[in-house]
Amino acid sequence: AAERARVDAEIASAKRINCQIGKRNLVQLEAYARIRVKDDDGEERVLTDTEKAERISKARQTIRENCAG
């Protein structure tokens, strides 16, 4: 029973962290028109509109899955 409670607490903690990350990512993606990222070669580039829309969708999904209520 104690092990189960510990695992449940770890899962809840991970969900809280993922919720915060999802919210922070969504705010950043919606606040700025041009988002710079590093590509596989370490070079900076601007996200395309399609890439930005995909990341917004992923952030919203993360929020749905990890934020209570």
Side-chain angles (χ1 to χ4, degrees):
E3 178 70 14
R4 177 70 179 162
R6 184 186 64 77
V7 169
D8 287 346
E10 287 180 13
I11 290 170
S13 176
K15 282 187 160 242
R16 275 192 303 276
I17 291 167
N18 289 340
C19 175
Q20 292 170 350
I21 290 169
K23 287 180 177 180
R24 185 172 51 241
N25 287 346
L26 185 59
V27 166
Q28 293 293 317
L29 288 163
E30 291 181 335
Y32 298 100
R34 294 171 46 119
I35 305 289
R36 290 189 175 279
V37 295
K38 286 193 179 185
D39 63 16
D40 295 337
D41 299 326
E43 299 292 320
E44 281 196 5
R45 65 178 184 83
V46 176
L47 287 179
T48 66
D49 290 340
T50 302
E51 290 171 323
K52 186 176 173 184
E54 289 172 0
R55 289 188 184 208
I56 288 172
S57 178
K58 286 180 185 177
R60 288 183 175 146
Q61 181 67 29
T62 298
I63 292 166
R64 277 193 299 275
E65 292 173 353
N66 293 285
C67 301

